[in-house]
Amino acid sequence: MKLISLTLTAVLALLLAGCQDQHKAADVAPAAVADSAKDAHLEQINQQLQQLTAEVVRLQQQVAAIPAAAAAPQAQQPRRLALGLSDTRQRLGSDDVEYAIVEFMDYQCPYCVRHSSQTLPTLKRKYIDSGLVQYVVKDFPLEFHAQAENAAIAARCAAEQGQFEAMHNALLENTRSLSSSIYDGLAAGIGLQADAFESCFNEPSQLTDLRKDVSEAVRLGVSGTPRFLIGRVDGDDLVDFVSVSGAQSLARFDEALQQVFNQGA
């Protein structure tokens, strides 16, 4: 704006000089023609400067109208998944723990079995039994495993009697021999009330609910087992989570958990 003002002042000085010169030499025709051309050129410059000044003022008004909040950096929202964590009974460890490992698994998946035998025992001692992490199991029975749905329902029915972990371990230990005839025996072996278990196992809504959960897992991006989501619990949701796929080493879980702990610090 200062530069524009100085330029306008200079142009006005030229205009005044031109007017004075015109009056002094009105009787000289060539001078009058030259003065007329000069006036036209100066008028053009003046119009351009006025347009430029108006544009600068308009831009200044637009900048001033931008709210200060719009220019401030926006806080990054945490990654969040609605998993219904507060309602699930398929859990190892306390439900009153800030961090969770959520496993999507299939009882006939050999990689799930490998994880449960090679990594989960140490993971449980180090993080779950110590109260640092809760471990939530989400069923994801694969279509090509004939007994995967029945096994998942057996685990759910055991969870209703407060014996999820015992049935979970029994199913994984007998993954090669799973059949329709084995579940009552497994239930009896861990001390479940037989009639309640049988009623639960044969309830049609169990299969309906299971398949709804699988559809929801697919919507969340789960496509195979085992799949782990590790993060902070916020009500029903898992927040700021890290994803781990496959039967991984304890070191990989250590790394993922440390990342999650650091985010929550």
Side-chain angles (χ1 to χ4, degrees), residues 83 104 139-143 210-224 227:
L83 295 177
F104 292 85
D139 296 308
F140 196 77
L142 302 172
E143 293 182 355
L210 172 62
R211 289 178 176 174
K212 284 181 181 179
D213 289 347
V214 171
S215 296
E216 177 62 16
V218 171
R219 188 188 69 80
L220 294 175
V222 178
S223 59
R227 174 75 177 276

Side-chain angles (χ1 to χ4, degrees), residues 138-193:
K138 292 284 188 179
D139 296 308
F140 196 77
L142 302 172
E143 293 182 355
F144 52 86
H145 288 154
Q147 286 297 316
E149 286 185 334
N150 282 339
I153 292 172
R156 291 174 175 223
C157 291
E160 291 192 3
Q161 296 191 41
Q163 292 292 328
F164 168 72
E165 184 173 355
M167 179 61 84
H168 180 72
N169 292 337
L171 290 167
L172 288 167
E173 290 168 1
N174 291 277
T175 187
R176 294 181 180 274
S177 58
L178 292 179
S179 68
S180 298
S181 61
I182 196 176
Y183 302 111
D184 287 343
L186 293 178
I190 62 173
L192 296 185
Q193 206 283 324

Side-chain angles (χ1 to χ4, degrees), residues 2-205:
K2 182 177 179 180
L3 177 60
I4 292 172
S5 298
L6 291 174
T7 305
L8 287 172
T9 301
V11 171
L12 289 173
L14 287 172
L15 288 172
L16 290 173
C19 290
Q20 291 170 354
D21 290 342
Q22 183 178 9
H23 287 298
K24 289 179 181 178
D27 58 333
V28 183
V33 173
D35 288 343
S36 178
K38 182 189 297 183
D39 289 344
H41 181 62
L42 290 174
E43 179 62 23
Q44 183 180 7
I45 293 175
N46 187 42
Q47 290 176 355
Q48 290 174 346
L49 287 172
Q50 288 177 346
Q51 292 173 356
L52 180 60
T53 301
E55 180 66 16
V56 170
V57 171
R58 185 183 67 82
L59 291 173
Q60 287 177 330
Q61 290 173 341
Q62 288 180 346
V63 171
I66 297 175
Q74 298 298 312
Q76 185 176 2
Q77 296 299 312
R79 299 176 66 203
R80 177 181 294 270
L81 281 181
L83 295 177
L85 295 177
S86 64
D87 295 330
T88 184
R89 299 179 181 178
Q90 297 166 247
R91 185 191 318 271
L92 310 180
S94 171
D95 62 356
D96 191 28
V97 178
E98 184 178 5
Y99 298 97
I101 299 173
V102 180
E103 179 188 3
F104 292 85
M105 60 89 62
D106 173 323
Y107 285 101
Q108 287 189 297
C109 167
Y111 300 101
C112 297
V113 176
R114 179 192 300 176
H115 168 76
S116 70
S117 63
Q118 296 183 3
T119 305
L120 184 55
T122 306
L123 199 63
K124 186 173 182 296
R125 288 195 301 271
K126 187 173 182 180
Y127 295 104
I128 301 168
D129 294 344
S130 64
L132 294 174
V133 174
Q134 55 178 290
Y135 195 96
V136 177
V137 175
K138 292 284 188 179
D139 296 308
F140 196 77
L142 302 172
E143 293 182 355
F144 52 86
H145 288 154
Q147 286 297 316
E149 286 185 334
N150 282 339
I153 292 172
R156 291 174 175 223
C157 291
E160 291 192 3
Q161 296 191 41
Q163 292 292 328
F164 168 72
E165 184 173 355
M167 179 61 84
H168 180 72
N169 292 337
L171 290 167
L172 288 167
E173 290 168 1
N174 291 277
T175 187
R176 294 181 180 274
S177 58
L178 292 179
S179 68
S180 298
S181 61
I182 196 176
Y183 302 111
D184 287 343
L186 293 178
I190 62 173
L192 296 185
Q193 206 283 324
D195 290 342
F197 176 80
E198 185 176 355
S199 176
C200 176
F201 187 80
N202 293 312
E203 170 58 49
S205 64

